[in-house]
Amino acid sequence: MYEFNYHRPASLDEAKQILSGNDEAKLLGGGMTLLPTMKMRLAQPSDLIDLSAIASLSGIEAAGETITIGAMTTHAQVAASAEVGSRIAALAALASGIGDAQVRNRGTIGGSVANSDPAADYPAAVLGLNATVVTDEREIAADDFFTGMFETALGPQEILTAIRFPLPKRAGYAKFPNPASRYAVAGVMVAETDNGVRVAVTGAGANAYRIGEMESALSANFSASALDGLTVDASELNGDLHASPEYRAHLVVIMAKRAVVAAGG
């Protein structure tokens, strides 16, 4: 690990001041990705800005037809939340399947979403549930947020503060996990919302994405059988030692059907 300056600001304004004008500084959430990367000397930030002391960035608030989750809220807190479990059970189930107990108790929803790992679970939830990403500067629609592998619409000086999820009519999530890391080899969130059905995939491509053909089929008939005969183009999917692009394409269909069943379809 290279030498760096450590900061633990007590407020968002203080964090913003440290971050401002410092292109080599990095924000630290739970550290589940950044710290191992630094240990392997694959990252060399000049300053590390730990957000854990900023109370306003943690917590879960249910109001009206939405649930807002603070960026520093851990996966374990989301999984155990009565508000999330009773209103968006699929989101609580997704959080409970991330990594292991140690990861769930340290990793944060904001850190996961901001990192945009192509195999992370939360991007599928953000996109599938049509969430809004809230920052210290603006609000970003889910469809505009994930722009590529480890890339998002966040600006270099922008801090993700919360994610606001509208309540779906029903939703389900299913993934085929890597047996060691529990990352998604392929994962699918299916949600029936006020604006139609959304199907979001993680683990298969360069970043989370939607499948319009599945959305149309499920809008007409919200059942697993509606996806019979549908195939996924493997030409732009990931291939590695865990799964070929063709196998991932097959898994996406299977996980989509399981997600529909989990949603009650």
Side-chain angles (χ1 to χ4, degrees), residues 4 8 50 55 64 70 77 86 99 120 132 145 147 155 157 161 169 217:
F4 60 90
R8 194 166 184 258
D50 184 350
Q77 289 170 326
S86 62
T132 298
F145 187 76
T147 59
Q157 307 295 318
T161 59
K169 295 179 180 179

Side-chain angles (χ1 to χ4, degrees), residues 118-119 149 184-185 202-207 234-240 243-249:
M149 185 177 291
V185 177
T202 190
N207 56 282
S235 62
E236 295 186 1
L237 299 188
N238 299 330
D240 52 33
S244 66
E246 293 75 17
Y247 186 49
R248 277 188 165 87

